Amino acid sequence: VTAALSLLLGAALALPGDLWPTALLARIGRSFSETDPEFGADLGFFVYWLPFETELYYWAMLLLLVVIGVVILLYALTPSLRWTRGSLYVSAYVRRHFTMLGGMLLLALAWSYRLGMYRLLVEGSGPGGTFTSLDHRVTVPATLVLALLTLCAAVVVLWAGWSGQMRLAFFSVSAVLLLSLIARTVAPLIARRSIDPDATERQERPYQGSRLDYTRRGYGVVER
C-alpha cells in the first residue's frame, strides 16, 4: 500500500507542465551584458533564471509538505506514533525520521531567504514596495547571513537526526528562529531609528535615480 501510494503521489506531484517553458528559458536565456546596480547580477538572471528558481522552490515546498503529511499519516497507523495514557508516544525511529524531515524544512527555509533577497527589489520597505538604502545595506546582508546560517543549521539538524542527537537538533532550530527574528525585524528597526532623516534623504537619491532611469527605459522615454 505504501509503495502504491508513493507511485500515485509521485505522478500527481511531478514537475508541472507549465514550469517547463520557464525551465527552457532559464536554460537558453542569453546574457543582457548589463548588471543591476544593487546586486551586480546580469539582468538576464532576473528575466530568465530567477522566475524559474522561484517556481521550482514553490513546487519543492509543496512536495516536501505533502511528503511530511503522508509520513505522519502512515506512522499514525502504526504503534510507533500513537496517543496513549493521555500523552503522545513517539518511538525513537519516528523521532529520528521527523528530525531529518525538519532538516529538509530548514534547507527549504535557507532557500527562501536567498530568494527573499532578490524579492526585496519589488517588495522593499519603501513607499509602494520600493527598494531603499536600508534594504540594500541592512536587510539584504542580514538575509544573506541568515540564509547561510540556516543552511549550516540544516546540515547540523540532519546529522543530529541521523545520529539521534535530538537535543542538538532542538537547539539548532531554536537558534535559527531567534536569528530570523533578529535579522528580519530587530536589525532593520534599529537601523531605521539610528539614521538621521537628512542622511536618509541623501542616501535614497541614487535609488530614486535608478528607479527613474529604468522606468524611462521601460516606457521608451528619452530625456532631453
Side-chain angles (χ1 to χ4, degrees):
V1 172
T2 303
L5 182 60
S6 300
L7 291 175
L8 289 175
L9 288 175
L13 297 174
L15 199 64
D18 56 355
L19 187 57
W20 289 109
T22 309
L24 180 61
L25 287 175
R27 174 67 178 83
I28 66 176
R30 295 184 179 181
S31 171
F32 279 52
S33 299
E34 181 179 353
T35 58
D36 81 286
E38 279 75 27
F39 289 97
D42 187 88
L43 297 183
F45 169 80
F46 298 96
V47 175
Y48 300 119
W49 177 259
L50 191 59
F52 167 68
E53 185 177 346
T54 302
E55 292 293 332
L56 189 63
Y57 164 75
Y58 287 133
W59 170 75
M61 276 299 301
L62 175 63
L63 181 62
L64 181 59
L65 293 176
V66 170
V67 167
I68 291 176
V70 172
V71 168
I72 294 176
L73 175 62
L74 292 177
Y75 273 132
L77 300 177
T78 69
S80 299
L81 180 64
R82 66 181 185 273
W83 187 265
T84 177
R85 296 181 180 178
S87 61
L88 182 65
Y89 170 77
V90 183
S91 68
Y93 182 83
V94 175
R95 286 197 300 269
R96 181 179 300 178
H97 197 169
F98 285 173
T99 305
M100 298 292 288
L101 291 174
M104 297 299 295
L105 281 176
L106 284 181
L107 288 176
L109 183 61
W111 192 2
S112 73
Y113 288 146
R114 165 184 155 76
L115 295 174
M117 292 190 307
Y118 301 108
R119 195 160 47 243
L120 283 171
L121 287 175
V122 293
E123 299 176 3
S125 60
T130 55
F131 188 76
T132 65
S133 60
L134 181 66
D135 296 325
H136 190 198
R137 300 180 181 183
V138 178
T139 308
V140 169
T143 306
L144 177 59
V145 172
L146 187 59
L148 295 175
L149 291 177
T150 305
L151 178 62
C152 295
V155 175
V156 172
V157 170
L158 289 173
W159 178 83
W162 183 261
S163 59
Q165 303 290 333
M166 301 305 169
R167 183 173 298 179
L168 177 60
F170 174 78
F171 285 141
S172 300
V173 173
S174 301
V176 167
L177 295 178
L178 178 61
L179 290 174
S180 177
L181 177 64
I182 295 174
R184 299 177 67 86
T185 305
V186 178
L189 181 62
I190 294 176
R192 187 178 294 108
R193 293 187 175 183
S194 62
I195 298 177
D196 183 72
D198 295 333
T200 302
E201 184 178 355
R202 291 193 302 269
Q203 293 172 358
E204 292 301 320
R205 289 172 185 171
Y207 301 91
Q208 294 171 357
S210 297
R211 291 194 295 270
L212 182 60
D213 180 58
Y214 278 104
T215 301
R216 287 170 176 166
R217 294 175 61 181
Y219 285 96
V221 177
V222 179
E223 185 179 7
R224 296 180 180 179

